[in-house]
Amino acid sequence: EHFSAPTYVVIRVGTSQTCSYTKRALKAQEKGAKGIMIASQSYEYTEGKVFQGDDGNGKKVHITAIFISNRAFNSLKDLKKV
């Protein structure tokens, strides 16, 4: 099933990684998403610290994919309630 409108997916992942971030982005792309934000429960932004993850399939991802902190995810979740 594909998304019917331009969709940006926000997902939260736990500390156990059974699926790579690249695979998550590819899955969202296959479903028609225009972008994906991945939030990790174990990650908090530290200035100067950059996170990158690629399981070797990164060149197949053609949508915007960003990694956000757990705090940023909670802020987005709170906005949805407004």
Side-chain angles (χ1 to χ4, degrees):
E1 182 178 329
H2 279 65
F3 299 114
S4 58
T7 302
Y8 294 83
V9 178
V10 180
I11 63 167
R12 183 186 220 175
V13 296
T15 56
S16 170
Q17 295 301 319
T18 58
C19 182
S20 72
Y21 299 124
T22 305
K23 285 184 182 176
R24 293 170 198 269
L26 285 171
K27 185 73 165 179
Q29 178 176 288
E30 289 169 5
K31 297 287 184 178
K34 300 297 179 195
I36 184 170
M37 286 188 263
I38 301 170
S40 172
Q41 294 177 7
S42 63
Y43 173 79
E44 287 301 332
Y45 174 74
T46 303
E47 190 171 340
K49 181 179 176 184
V50 177
F51 175 86
Q52 295 181 2
D54 184 354
D55 65 2
N57 291 302
K59 291 186 179 192
K60 296 177 184 175
V61 178
H62 301 290
I63 62 173
T64 301
I66 63 171
F67 197 76
I68 62 174
S69 69
N70 193 46
R71 186 178 315 156
F73 174 83
N74 288 332
S75 295
L76 288 171
K77 188 173 68 171
D78 290 343
L79 284 176
K80 183 179 176 185
K81 295 177 185 175
V82 174

